[in-house]
Amino acid sequence: MVAIPSVTRTPMTRNRTAIWLLGIAIVLTILQYSGVLPAWLHRIPDAMIPPAAIWLDVFFNFVKDDLGLLKFTRFLTAGLENVLDTSGNIFYGKRRWPNLGPIPWTAIAGVAVVVGYYLGGWRLAVLGGGTFIWTALIGQWKIAMETMSVLVVAAPLAFVIGLSLGIAAWKYAWVDKTIKPVLSVLQTLPFFTYLLPAVIFFKVGPTAGAVATTIYAIPPMILMTTLGLQKVSPEVVEAGKMSGCSKFQMLRHVYIPSARTEILVGVNQVIMLCLAMVVLTAFIGMPGLGAKLLAMMGSFKLGRSFEIGVTIVLLAVTLDRMSKAWVVKQPEHFEKGTSWVNRHKTLVLAIAVFIGFTLLSFVLPIAGTIGRGQDFSQGKELDNLIKGFLAIDIVQSITYGIRYFLNVWILNPFRDFMLSIPTPAMIMVVAAFAVWLGGKREGVIAVIFFGLVALSGWWDRSIITLYSVLAAVSIAMLLGIPIGVLAARSDKWSQRVLLACDTAQTFPSFIYLIPAIMLFGITATAVVGSILIFAMVPLIRYTIEGLRTVPPEMTEAADMAGATRMQKLVNVQLPLALPTMAVGFNQAIMFAFFMVIIAAFIGTQDLGQELQRTLAGTDLGKNFVLGICVSLMALTFDLVIMKWAADKKKALGLP
Amino acid sequence: MSTERPVISCKNVWKLFGADPEKYLAKMSSDMSFDDMREDGYIAGVKDVSLDVFKGEMLVIMGLSGSGKSTLVRCFSRLHEITGGTIEVDGQDIMSLPEKDLIDLRRSKMGMVFQSFGLLPHRSVLDNVAFPLEMRGQDKHTRRARALEVIKLVGLEGREEYFPRELSGGQQQRVGIARSLAIEPDIWFLDEPFSALDPLIRREMQDEFLRLQQLLNKTIVFITHDFDEALRLADRIAIMKDGAVEQCDTPDQIVLHPATEYVRKFTEDIDKARVVHAGVLAKADQPGTGDPVDTGMTVHKLARLLVNDKRDFIPVTRDGASIGAMSRSEALDILLGAE
Ligand SMILES: Nc1ncnc2c1ncn2[C@@H]1O[C@H](COP(=O)(O)OP(=O)(O)OP(=O)(O)O)[C@@H](O)[C@H]1O
Ligand SMILES: [Mg+2]
């Protein structure tokens, strides 16, 4: 209770600063509306904007040409290309060495069943087998394998690099110090900033895609490795030392096996991020599920889009469940005298199944590949069905109504208003927000970050991006928080909804475009719609988690005081859950920034659109400037909200 | 035994936990107490300890929880880098040993049983026990045979393939014991090695270590909270408080002549008659008369004789030769618990 004065005092002065900032911002905006604000205060004059993109281009050109980095990466490319060609040959029969593939689909499905059974019993066996059977029968085997062939190269690569860097960061403090800030920036960088450098240094196509995918998936592996190694119990380490382990033996036999759980969690994240990214690399010409989906959505073929969407979702869920099952799978002993075959039952069975189906495919070609016209795709029919459904008067009037209402009454006015605010006023509003929630330091950072955005020359587009994010997240909050609150009321529903959220989070973000496009066509509403669905997931999730983890003695105290359910919720549970909910809110914003760029595919006027355009050309400098704009805005929110959540938690004495 | 060179010899050893212990120790005034240091944010795990452990000796360390027993033993094996003082093992200053020699020393001479076992979670019982042998580069067949041997010895036969997670606390502890038995080190550090065992196995294990110590002349540093266990095993007992060794002496001397008030309190509840031996009470200048008693007999064991006998002084012999005589009344005082 001693802490109370200091807790209440700081917000007072903070609040005053915030109000001052806000006040000035309002005055500036009013001046702008009454037309007396000089133009140079409304927007930074073009002449004053430093040509950052050109500088960056000069810099990148210097690096890649003069420093010979391009030669170096192209040299690397050759190696990677060979590996990708090999995996391509094996998975979908690309005509290259070793000329073995393609593996019969039945063999892969069979192995998936065996592995699924080993990891998680019949449920995973059915899931694994079912996914591959569906993919084959629906006629998407080849594109799915194109995607898989990159995944099986990128994920192990990301794993090895992440593990090594993680070990280095754990071992040497200076590595840790250098890596940490880079990682936190990398994690907020929009994925597009990964794509273009990859294209430039590694040529368009699978190679660039594999590189971008690998790099994208490395950060969580590093973090999980370091975390796992730090958590190894000191006595186990001492036991290793007393056994006379050398440094290497220590790492190999003691640390890494003891950190197994965290490392495998890292593996799970690597796989999921790789899958998400490999789908997105469609933007830089990587063939596979993503590219096909992009093409289908572009030509508004909803039936096929839907089928591909289902395939991607199934693959994601299978990979996620299996790798998670691997995390919790602990070694179990065999009875003495168990034979080698019995000890390695899974391995033997998998090999047997594999060989069996491969042989079968020689006799029965349809077990090897399902040819054109042999699949069960219902693309056309589904398409007609969906379009027919959307064309029904009631449905149409509803979707049109929503679209009209959102656009005319909410989105457009909101956007126009945000655009009308003078640049300095906008920066002050953000700063006020940062000071109020975070503190002085956060306020200064916000000013610097948004100042940089203003100087980038892409202010208007940045503001449109920000508007999409804020609009979508606000609506997501209106929908998501009540859902979370309702679900948190019962154990059963919390579990169900949490499971749904978990599953939804494993889907590659691309998928969220499909329902939005189905409902709203290719329009700005669809953009907000897709962001909305994507951002709702963390909101619901953390609302439930926040409410469920309120210490029972506190709710019991409220019960004893005779509070009604509503009073309890408002006075006890929500305030205590707020810090956790803020984490969800933060994630929602991050997701939204991410999604807004993907959604640009539908046609928006924000940074995403420009970013996508840079990919067509090779404007590396501009790509970076745009990417950094998004990253700076996202970072500002991240810093402020997380600081607030941490402060609040401390003040409430929560763990 | 006290004439030979000690196996472990430590002089003014300090181990401080805190932000910058070296600097703090260098500037610290000599009369700082444990609590003073804690106020400055430093914990004295080991406080100015000087101690020798001799070859073939079993030294038992006792003290309350948090008194620094484990820390001291960790300093002996250089699992902790000490803050001040010197520790010599076989005449070698271990603090100055390069990494490679330290590994050699641990591989060839030292073994340790950990308080909370320190088993490798991903290895089966067999592989855990064989681990030190593996690190020494022994071939698979030999180390397997040896591991099976000691697993049998600790009574875990049939569970070789189990993983630590699948064992009870006591079973896990026995894996830890087996692991250190597998290499039969010259110097053994046992940190509460039997705490989770039932009385029966505990006694068996004690006997096994006593046997090894006597047969192979092993040096053992043993931590325990159990006085009976200490008395059964110890050649000498060191009693620690707040990181410092209050007294280090034979059990007889500790109960008869506690060096500090703390040691007296600590040993208050012990039945001294079970601790004190005839040999300790024998006075060389007293001849005594009649049938002698052996030096190794405790007062407790002599109870009947002491009560029934009428002699004032009873002769004491070691290996048949007289070493003097003990006063019967003094022995009776001990037996009856008189102060
Ligand atoms: N790594 C460490 N960092 C900081 N303080 C430590 C560390 N290890 C031990 N200490 C402190 O040193 C003191 C002695 O600890 P130690 O483990 O040696 O006690 P102990 O006598 O073995 O107790 P127990 O009987 O409970 O095992 C304790 O106060 C403990 O908090
Ligand atoms: Mg201890």
Side-chain angles (χ1 to χ4, degrees), chain A residues 514-553:
Chain A
I514 300 176
I517 289 188
M518 278 187 183
L519 285 178
F520 302 112
I522 302 182
T523 61
T525 321
V527 176
V528 175
S530 59
I531 305 175
L532 174 86
I533 311 172
F534 197 39
M536 221 153 78
V537 176
L539 278 171
I540 296 180
R541 192 202 160 109
Y542 281 94
T543 304
I544 297 181
E545 262 169 25
L547 288 174
R548 304 287 304 174
T549 48
V550 169
E553 61 270 18

mmCIF file of all heavy atoms in Angstrom, chain A residues 514-553:
data_model
loop_
_atom_site.group_PDB
_atom_site.id
_atom_site.type_symbol
_atom_site.label_atom_id
_atom_site.label_comp_id
_atom_site.label_asym_id
_atom_site.label_seq_id
_atom_site.Cartn_x
_atom_site.Cartn_y
_atom_site.Cartn_z
ATOM 1 N N ILE A 514 -9.993 -14.212 -48.025
ATOM 2 C CA ILE A 514 -11.025 -14.948 -48.766
ATOM 3 C C ILE A 514 -12.448 -14.613 -48.298
ATOM 4 O O ILE A 514 -13.273 -14.182 -49.110
ATOM 5 C CB ILE A 514 -10.764 -16.465 -48.710
ATOM 6 C CG1 ILE A 514 -9.399 -16.759 -49.327
ATOM 7 C CG2 ILE A 514 -11.847 -17.227 -49.455
ATOM 8 C CD1 ILE A 514 -8.991 -18.206 -49.235
ATOM 9 N N PRO A 515 -12.749 -14.757 -47.005
ATOM 10 C CA PRO A 515 -14.131 -14.430 -46.609
ATOM 11 C C PRO A 515 -14.462 -12.967 -46.844
ATOM 12 O O PRO A 515 -15.591 -12.643 -47.236
ATOM 13 C CB PRO A 515 -14.162 -14.760 -45.116
ATOM 14 C CG PRO A 515 -12.757 -14.882 -44.684
ATOM 15 C CD PRO A 515 -11.965 -15.276 -45.875
ATOM 16 N N ALA A 516 -13.472 -12.090 -46.635
ATOM 17 C CA ALA A 516 -13.741 -10.662 -46.832
ATOM 18 C C ALA A 516 -14.105 -10.387 -48.282
ATOM 19 O O ALA A 516 -15.062 -9.660 -48.568
ATOM 20 C CB ALA A 516 -12.527 -9.839 -46.410
ATOM 21 N N ILE A 517 -13.358 -10.993 -49.181
ATOM 22 C CA ILE A 517 -13.656 -10.776 -50.598
ATOM 23 C C ILE A 517 -15.003 -11.388 -50.967
ATOM 24 O O ILE A 517 -15.792 -10.825 -51.722
ATOM 25 C CB ILE A 517 -12.544 -11.381 -51.478
ATOM 26 C CG1 ILE A 517 -11.296 -10.535 -51.334
ATOM 27 C CG2 ILE A 517 -12.980 -11.442 -52.917
ATOM 28 C CD1 ILE A 517 -10.213 -10.917 -52.286
ATOM 29 N N MET A 518 -15.248 -12.566 -50.393
ATOM 30 C CA MET A 518 -16.526 -13.217 -50.686
ATOM 31 C C MET A 518 -17.685 -12.306 -50.340
ATOM 32 O O MET A 518 -18.644 -12.182 -51.080
ATOM 33 C CB MET A 518 -16.641 -14.489 -49.863
ATOM 34 C CG MET A 518 -15.930 -15.661 -50.477
ATOM 35 S SD MET A 518 -16.354 -17.079 -49.473
ATOM 36 C CE MET A 518 -15.389 -18.320 -50.265
ATOM 37 N N LEU A 519 -17.588 -11.679 -49.177
ATOM 38 C CA LEU A 519 -18.708 -10.874 -48.715
ATOM 39 C C LEU A 519 -18.764 -9.508 -49.369
ATOM 40 O O LEU A 519 -19.820 -9.034 -49.738
ATOM 41 C CB LEU A 519 -18.644 -10.712 -47.198
ATOM 42 C CG LEU A 519 -19.052 -11.948 -46.407
ATOM 43 C CD1 LEU A 519 -18.906 -11.694 -44.919
ATOM 44 C CD2 LEU A 519 -20.493 -12.334 -46.725
ATOM 45 N N PHE A 520 -17.618 -8.881 -49.486
ATOM 46 C CA PHE A 520 -17.657 -7.474 -49.881
ATOM 47 C C PHE A 520 -17.029 -7.198 -51.232
ATOM 48 O O PHE A 520 -16.836 -6.048 -51.601
ATOM 49 C CB PHE A 520 -16.972 -6.620 -48.817
ATOM 50 C CG PHE A 520 -17.592 -6.760 -47.464
ATOM 51 C CD1 PHE A 520 -16.908 -7.375 -46.427
ATOM 52 C CD2 PHE A 520 -18.883 -6.306 -47.231
ATOM 53 C CE1 PHE A 520 -17.497 -7.509 -45.183
ATOM 54 C CE2 PHE A 520 -19.463 -6.441 -45.992
ATOM 55 C CZ PHE A 520 -18.774 -7.052 -44.966
ATOM 56 N N GLY A 521 -16.672 -8.256 -51.946
ATOM 57 C CA GLY A 521 -16.062 -8.021 -53.246
ATOM 58 C C GLY A 521 -14.701 -7.375 -53.085
ATOM 59 O O GLY A 521 -14.139 -7.334 -51.999
ATOM 60 N N ILE A 522 -14.189 -6.847 -54.199
ATOM 61 C CA ILE A 522 -12.872 -6.236 -54.106
ATOM 62 C C ILE A 522 -13.044 -4.752 -53.815
ATOM 63 O O ILE A 522 -13.030 -3.923 -54.708
ATOM 64 C CB ILE A 522 -12.085 -6.494 -55.399
ATOM 65 C CG1 ILE A 522 -11.987 -8.016 -55.588
ATOM 66 C CG2 ILE A 522 -10.706 -5.889 -55.333
ATOM 67 C CD1 ILE A 522 -11.205 -8.441 -56.793
ATOM 68 N N THR A 523 -13.224 -4.424 -52.534
ATOM 69 C CA THR A 523 -13.486 -3.041 -52.153
ATOM 70 C C THR A 523 -12.726 -2.694 -50.884
ATOM 71 O O THR A 523 -12.145 -3.567 -50.249
ATOM 72 C CB THR A 523 -14.974 -2.834 -51.820
ATOM 73 O OG1 THR A 523 -15.272 -3.694 -50.716
ATOM 74 C CG2 THR A 523 -15.867 -3.150 -52.981
ATOM 75 N N ALA A 524 -12.779 -1.411 -50.535
ATOM 76 C CA ALA A 524 -12.092 -0.975 -49.322
ATOM 77 C C ALA A 524 -12.718 -1.624 -48.087
ATOM 78 O O ALA A 524 -12.036 -1.880 -47.088
ATOM 79 C CB ALA A 524 -12.158 0.542 -49.192
ATOM 80 N N THR A 525 -14.009 -1.886 -48.148
ATOM 81 C CA THR A 525 -14.653 -2.534 -47.013
ATOM 82 C C THR A 525 -14.057 -3.920 -46.780
ATOM 83 O O THR A 525 -13.889 -4.354 -45.648
ATOM 84 C CB THR A 525 -16.157 -2.693 -47.261
ATOM 85 O OG1 THR A 525 -16.622 -1.523 -47.908
ATOM 86 C CG2 THR A 525 -16.890 -2.903 -45.966
ATOM 87 N N ALA A 526 -13.740 -4.594 -47.883
ATOM 88 C CA ALA A 526 -13.150 -5.916 -47.749
ATOM 89 C C ALA A 526 -11.804 -5.828 -47.029
ATOM 90 O O ALA A 526 -11.452 -6.711 -46.245
ATOM 91 C CB ALA A 526 -12.977 -6.556 -49.113
ATOM 92 N N VAL A 527 -11.060 -4.753 -47.301
ATOM 93 C CA VAL A 527 -9.776 -4.566 -46.610
ATOM 94 C C VAL A 527 -10.008 -4.508 -45.115
ATOM 95 O O VAL A 527 -9.430 -5.276 -44.330
ATOM 96 C CB VAL A 527 -9.089 -3.264 -47.064
ATOM 97 C CG1 VAL A 527 -7.816 -3.052 -46.261
ATOM 98 C CG2 VAL A 527 -8.807 -3.307 -48.538
ATOM 99 N N VAL A 528 -10.896 -3.581 -44.730
ATOM 100 C CA VAL A 528 -11.177 -3.448 -43.308
ATOM 101 C C VAL A 528 -11.717 -4.766 -42.759
ATOM 102 O O VAL A 528 -11.360 -5.196 -41.660
ATOM 103 C CB VAL A 528 -12.164 -2.297 -43.060
ATOM 104 C CG1 VAL A 528 -12.555 -2.231 -41.603
ATOM 105 C CG2 VAL A 528 -11.545 -0.992 -43.498
ATOM 106 N N GLY A 529 -12.556 -5.417 -43.576
ATOM 107 C CA GLY A 529 -13.124 -6.693 -43.136
ATOM 108 C C GLY A 529 -12.055 -7.725 -42.839
ATOM 109 O O GLY A 529 -12.079 -8.386 -41.801
ATOM 110 N N SER A 530 -11.084 -7.854 -43.748
ATOM 111 C CA SER A 530 -10.072 -8.887 -43.523
ATOM 112 C C SER A 530 -9.188 -8.539 -42.328
ATOM 113 O O SER A 530 -8.844 -9.411 -41.527
ATOM 114 C CB SER A 530 -9.238 -9.089 -44.784
ATOM 115 O OG SER A 530 -8.607 -7.884 -45.137
ATOM 116 N N ILE A 531 -8.845 -7.265 -42.207
ATOM 117 C CA ILE A 531 -8.043 -6.869 -41.040
ATOM 118 C C ILE A 531 -8.829 -7.138 -39.762
ATOM 119 O O ILE A 531 -8.302 -7.627 -38.757
ATOM 120 C CB ILE A 531 -7.676 -5.371 -41.078
ATOM 121 C CG1 ILE A 531 -6.988 -5.032 -42.381
ATOM 122 C CG2 ILE A 531 -6.773 -5.020 -39.924
ATOM 123 C CD1 ILE A 531 -6.709 -3.558 -42.529
ATOM 124 N N LEU A 532 -10.110 -6.821 -39.864
ATOM 125 C CA LEU A 532 -10.994 -6.988 -38.714
ATOM 126 C C LEU A 532 -10.983 -8.428 -38.202
ATOM 127 O O LEU A 532 -10.776 -8.676 -37.017
ATOM 128 C CB LEU A 532 -12.401 -6.596 -39.173
ATOM 129 C CG LEU A 532 -13.536 -6.801 -38.203
ATOM 130 C CD1 LEU A 532 -13.614 -5.586 -37.324
ATOM 131 C CD2 LEU A 532 -14.836 -6.978 -38.950
ATOM 132 N N ILE A 533 -11.151 -9.368 -39.124
ATOM 133 C CA ILE A 533 -11.180 -10.770 -38.687
ATOM 134 C C ILE A 533 -9.824 -11.165 -38.100
ATOM 135 O O ILE A 533 -9.746 -11.803 -37.054
ATOM 136 C CB ILE A 533 -11.492 -11.706 -39.878
ATOM 137 C CG1 ILE A 533 -12.713 -11.191 -40.631
ATOM 138 C CG2 ILE A 533 -11.725 -13.119 -39.395
ATOM 139 C CD1 ILE A 533 -12.981 -11.940 -41.912
ATOM 140 N N PHE A 534 -8.779 -10.736 -38.791
ATOM 141 C CA PHE A 534 -7.433 -11.102 -38.372
ATOM 142 C C PHE A 534 -7.128 -10.523 -36.986
ATOM 143 O O PHE A 534 -6.539 -11.192 -36.133
ATOM 144 C CB PHE A 534 -6.456 -10.544 -39.410
ATOM 145 C CG PHE A 534 -5.094 -11.156 -39.359
ATOM 146 C CD1 PHE A 534 -4.920 -12.507 -39.125
ATOM 147 C CD2 PHE A 534 -3.968 -10.377 -39.577
ATOM 148 C CE1 PHE A 534 -3.669 -13.073 -39.113
ATOM 149 C CE2 PHE A 534 -2.705 -10.935 -39.563
ATOM 150 C CZ PHE A 534 -2.558 -12.287 -39.326
ATOM 151 N N ALA A 535 -7.554 -9.271 -36.762
ATOM 152 C CA ALA A 535 -7.209 -8.587 -35.515
ATOM 153 C C ALA A 535 -8.087 -9.041 -34.358
ATOM 154 O O ALA A 535 -7.730 -8.887 -33.190
ATOM 155 C CB ALA A 535 -7.318 -7.077 -35.695
ATOM 156 N N MET A 536 -9.239 -9.600 -34.689
ATOM 157 C CA MET A 536 -10.154 -10.006 -33.636
ATOM 158 C C MET A 536 -9.597 -11.190 -32.850
ATOM 159 O O MET A 536 -9.842 -11.327 -31.657
ATOM 160 C CB MET A 536 -11.496 -10.384 -34.239
ATOM 161 C CG MET A 536 -12.652 -9.880 -33.440
ATOM 162 S SD MET A 536 -14.040 -9.658 -34.517
ATOM 163 C CE MET A 536 -14.605 -11.327 -34.697
ATOM 164 N N VAL A 537 -8.840 -12.023 -33.549
ATOM 165 C CA VAL A 537 -8.339 -13.248 -32.913
ATOM 166 C C VAL A 537 -7.545 -12.958 -31.625
ATOM 167 O O VAL A 537 -7.908 -13.458 -30.558
ATOM 168 C CB VAL A 537 -7.521 -14.086 -33.918
ATOM 169 C CG1 VAL A 537 -6.936 -15.295 -33.243
ATOM 170 C CG2 VAL A 537 -8.399 -14.492 -35.076
ATOM 171 N N PRO A 538 -6.488 -12.126 -31.690
ATOM 172 C CA PRO A 538 -5.766 -11.883 -30.438
ATOM 173 C C PRO A 538 -6.608 -11.155 -29.402
ATOM 174 O O PRO A 538 -6.445 -11.384 -28.199
ATOM 175 C CB PRO A 538 -4.567 -11.035 -30.866
ATOM 176 C CG PRO A 538 -4.913 -10.489 -32.185
ATOM 177 C CD PRO A 538 -5.837 -11.461 -32.827
ATOM 178 N N LEU A 539 -7.500 -10.309 -29.860
ATOM 179 C CA LEU A 539 -8.333 -9.569 -28.903
ATOM 180 C C LEU A 539 -9.185 -10.535 -28.074
ATOM 181 O O LEU A 539 -9.221 -10.464 -26.847
ATOM 182 C CB LEU A 539 -9.231 -8.581 -29.632
ATOM 183 C CG LEU A 539 -8.558 -7.266 -30.013
ATOM 184 C CD1 LEU A 539 -9.466 -6.456 -30.914
ATOM 185 C CD2 LEU A 539 -8.237 -6.475 -28.753
ATOM 186 N N ILE A 540 -9.859 -11.423 -28.763
ATOM 187 C CA ILE A 540 -10.704 -12.391 -28.061
ATOM 188 C C ILE A 540 -9.848 -13.233 -27.126
ATOM 189 O O ILE A 540 -10.142 -13.413 -25.948
ATOM 190 C CB ILE A 540 -11.415 -13.319 -29.069
ATOM 191 C CG1 ILE A 540 -12.355 -12.501 -29.936
ATOM 192 C CG2 ILE A 540 -12.183 -14.404 -28.327
ATOM 193 C CD1 ILE A 540 -13.109 -13.324 -30.949
ATOM 194 N N ARG A 541 -8.771 -13.704 -27.682
ATOM 195 C CA ARG A 541 -7.903 -14.604 -26.954
ATOM 196 C C ARG A 541 -7.397 -14.014 -25.638
ATOM 197 O O ARG A 541 -7.504 -14.617 -24.575
ATOM 198 C CB ARG A 541 -6.735 -14.903 -27.875
ATOM 199 C CG ARG A 541 -5.916 -16.008 -27.421
ATOM 200 C CD ARG A 541 -4.565 -15.877 -28.031
ATOM 201 N NE ARG A 541 -3.746 -16.683 -27.185
ATOM 202 C CZ ARG A 541 -3.248 -17.836 -27.562
ATOM 203 N NH1 ARG A 541 -3.422 -18.248 -28.773
ATOM 204 N NH2 ARG A 541 -2.564 -18.543 -26.722
ATOM 205 N N TYR A 542 -6.849 -12.811 -25.725
ATOM 206 C CA TYR A 542 -6.279 -12.228 -24.506
ATOM 207 C C TYR A 542 -7.349 -11.730 -23.552
ATOM 208 O O TYR A 542 -7.118 -11.647 -22.356
ATOM 209 C CB TYR A 542 -5.293 -11.115 -24.859
ATOM 210 C CG TYR A 542 -3.966 -11.670 -25.293
ATOM 211 C CD1 TYR A 542 -3.676 -11.890 -26.631
ATOM 212 C CD2 TYR A 542 -3.004 -12.028 -24.352
ATOM 213 C CE1 TYR A 542 -2.470 -12.430 -27.032
ATOM 214 C CE2 TYR A 542 -1.799 -12.555 -24.733
ATOM 215 C CZ TYR A 542 -1.533 -12.758 -26.072
ATOM 216 O OH TYR A 542 -0.341 -13.298 -26.449
ATOM 217 N N THR A 543 -8.520 -11.386 -24.095
ATOM 218 C CA THR A 543 -9.602 -11.015 -23.190
ATOM 219 C C THR A 543 -9.956 -12.222 -22.320
ATOM 220 O O THR A 543 -10.064 -12.126 -21.095
ATOM 221 C CB THR A 543 -10.844 -10.568 -23.981
ATOM 222 O OG1 THR A 543 -10.463 -9.522 -24.846
ATOM 223 C CG2 THR A 543 -11.936 -10.104 -23.043
ATOM 224 N N ILE A 544 -10.109 -13.356 -22.969
ATOM 225 C CA ILE A 544 -10.438 -14.561 -22.201
ATOM 226 C C ILE A 544 -9.330 -14.881 -21.214
ATOM 227 O O ILE A 544 -9.567 -15.083 -20.026
ATOM 228 C CB ILE A 544 -10.658 -15.769 -23.146
ATOM 229 C CG1 ILE A 544 -11.853 -15.506 -24.056
ATOM 230 C CG2 ILE A 544 -10.886 -17.031 -22.335
ATOM 231 C CD1 ILE A 544 -12.171 -16.635 -24.996
ATOM 232 N N GLU A 545 -8.096 -14.855 -21.715
ATOM 233 C CA GLU A 545 -6.994 -15.206 -20.828
ATOM 234 C C GLU A 545 -6.889 -14.250 -19.656
ATOM 235 O O GLU A 545 -6.678 -14.656 -18.518
ATOM 236 C CB GLU A 545 -5.678 -15.254 -21.599
ATOM 237 C CG GLU A 545 -5.343 -16.678 -21.967
ATOM 238 C CD GLU A 545 -4.201 -16.802 -22.942
ATOM 239 O OE1 GLU A 545 -3.364 -15.883 -23.002
ATOM 240 O OE2 GLU A 545 -4.159 -17.822 -23.635
ATOM 241 N N GLY A 546 -7.050 -12.952 -19.946
ATOM 242 C CA GLY A 546 -6.985 -11.961 -18.878
ATOM 243 C C GLY A 546 -8.049 -12.213 -17.823
ATOM 244 O O GLY A 546 -7.777 -12.218 -16.631
ATOM 245 N N LEU A 547 -9.271 -12.459 -18.281
ATOM 246 C CA LEU A 547 -10.372 -12.649 -17.335
ATOM 247 C C LEU A 547 -10.222 -13.950 -16.562
ATOM 248 O O LEU A 547 -10.536 -14.020 -15.376
ATOM 249 C CB LEU A 547 -11.706 -12.641 -18.076
ATOM 250 C CG LEU A 547 -12.150 -11.279 -18.587
ATOM 251 C CD1 LEU A 547 -13.401 -11.410 -19.425
ATOM 252 C CD2 LEU A 547 -12.390 -10.326 -17.432
ATOM 253 N N ARG A 548 -9.735 -14.963 -17.249
ATOM 254 C CA ARG A 548 -9.650 -16.264 -16.583
ATOM 255 C C ARG A 548 -8.524 -16.307 -15.556
ATOM 256 O O ARG A 548 -8.553 -17.139 -14.659
ATOM 257 C CB ARG A 548 -9.400 -17.399 -17.588
ATOM 258 C CG ARG A 548 -10.386 -17.499 -18.687
ATOM 259 C CD ARG A 548 -11.713 -18.027 -18.291
ATOM 260 N NE ARG A 548 -11.711 -19.331 -17.641
ATOM 261 C CZ ARG A 548 -12.795 -19.884 -17.133
ATOM 262 N NH1 ARG A 548 -13.954 -19.248 -17.183
ATOM 263 N NH2 ARG A 548 -12.746 -21.052 -16.568
ATOM 264 N N THR A 549 -7.530 -15.453 -15.719
ATOM 265 C CA THR A 549 -6.408 -15.529 -14.788
ATOM 266 C C THR A 549 -6.523 -14.548 -13.628
ATOM 267 O O THR A 549 -5.606 -14.401 -12.858
ATOM 268 C CB THR A 549 -5.065 -15.295 -15.510
ATOM 269 O OG1 THR A 549 -5.200 -14.141 -16.323
ATOM 270 C CG2 THR A 549 -4.670 -16.477 -16.355
ATOM 271 N N VAL A 550 -7.655 -13.872 -13.527
ATOM 272 C CA VAL A 550 -7.856 -13.030 -12.345
ATOM 273 C C VAL A 550 -7.836 -13.953 -11.121
ATOM 274 O O VAL A 550 -8.541 -14.961 -11.092
ATOM 275 C CB VAL A 550 -9.210 -12.305 -12.432
ATOM 276 C CG1 VAL A 550 -9.538 -11.647 -11.101
ATOM 277 C CG2 VAL A 550 -9.190 -11.272 -13.529
ATOM 278 N N PRO A 551 -6.979 -13.615 -10.133
ATOM 279 C CA PRO A 551 -6.872 -14.512 -8.979
ATOM 280 C C PRO A 551 -8.230 -14.765 -8.336
ATOM 281 O O PRO A 551 -8.992 -13.814 -8.113
ATOM 282 C CB PRO A 551 -5.963 -13.746 -8.017
ATOM 283 C CG PRO A 551 -5.235 -12.775 -8.868
ATOM 284 C CD PRO A 551 -6.105 -12.472 -10.030
ATOM 285 N N PRO A 552 -8.559 -16.018 -8.047
ATOM 286 C CA PRO A 552 -9.888 -16.346 -7.530
ATOM 287 C C PRO A 552 -10.214 -15.636 -6.222
ATOM 288 O O PRO A 552 -11.363 -15.267 -5.991
ATOM 289 C CB PRO A 552 -9.837 -17.867 -7.337
ATOM 290 C CG PRO A 552 -8.408 -18.244 -7.474
ATOM 291 C CD PRO A 552 -7.722 -17.190 -8.260
ATOM 292 N N GLU A 553 -9.185 -15.388 -5.386
ATOM 293 C CA GLU A 553 -9.523 -14.751 -4.109
ATOM 294 C C GLU A 553 -10.106 -13.361 -4.316
ATOM 295 O O GLU A 553 -10.904 -12.881 -3.516
ATOM 296 C CB GLU A 553 -8.322 -14.739 -3.153
ATOM 297 C CG GLU A 553 -7.091 -13.992 -3.615
ATOM 298 C CD GLU A 553 -6.150 -14.901 -4.396
ATOM 299 O OE1 GLU A 553 -6.612 -15.973 -4.849
ATOM 300 O OE2 GLU A 553 -4.973 -14.537 -4.570
#
